[in-house]
């Protein structure tokens, strides 16, 4: 009789653990999808801004490199945030903001076209530089 109770308890514990792991993996999957959606939005905005750049035809390779590098830095910032590494998240976000500002100053993007990206980056940095 005692053995049967123990088996039921063990079975209930296993089922509960399985259900909880499903909840956690589902939450993780939702978080991963949200991150992927944000990255897709960032890439689309950057690519659209790049094509609208007055320098697109003469500096296309350089502009595409900026798009890639900014996207990469933001992806790393999101990954760091997801893993709970706030210092790394802020560092990547600051690097992305600095690169974005340099790209604007070189005429690779128009400020109004990349405003949503700039705002997104600044949300990742508690005290962004002006």
């Amino acid at each position: 009789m005692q053995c049967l109770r123990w088996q039921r308890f063990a079975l209930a514990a296993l089922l509960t653990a399985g259900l909880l792991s499903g909840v956690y993996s589902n939450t993780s999957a939702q978080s991963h999808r949200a991150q992927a959606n944000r990255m897709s939005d960032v890439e689309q905005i950057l690519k659209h801004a790049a094509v609208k750049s007055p320098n697109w035809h003469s500096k296309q390779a350089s502009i595409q490199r900026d798009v890639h590098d900014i996207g990469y830095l933001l992806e790393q910032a999101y990954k760091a945030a997801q893993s709970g590494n706030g210092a790394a998240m802020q560092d990547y976000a600051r690097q992305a903001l600095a690169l974005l500002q340099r790209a604007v100053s070189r005429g690779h993007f128009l400020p109004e076209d990349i405003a949503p990206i700039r705002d997104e980056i600044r949300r990742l940095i508690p005290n962004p530089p002006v």
Side-chain angles (χ1 to χ4, degrees), residues 21-99:
S21 68
V23 168
Y24 290 126
S25 67
N26 190 27
T27 302
S28 176
Q30 288 172 348
S31 176
H32 183 69
R33 274 194 300 276
Q35 176 186 338
N37 288 341
R38 267 194 312 251
M39 281 310 304
S40 177
D41 292 345
V42 164
E43 288 173 5
Q44 290 304 316
I45 292 169
L46 285 171
K47 287 177 181 180
H48 182 70
V51 173
K52 287 180 65 181
S53 167
N55 295 326
W56 174 248
H57 294 288
S58 62
K59 296 184 179 181
Q60 190 171 349
S62 182
I63 293 170
Q64 286 178 332
R65 195 169 33 256
D66 283 342
V67 167
H68 175 269
D69 292 349
I70 293 165
Y72 172 79
L73 290 167
L74 281 175
E75 181 178 21
Q76 295 308 306
Y78 292 143
K79 285 180 180 179
Q82 192 172 20
S83 68
N85 189 344
M89 176 198 67
Q90 290 178 32
D91 183 48
Y92 283 118
R94 282 188 181 96
Q95 289 180 53
L97 183 60
L99 181 54

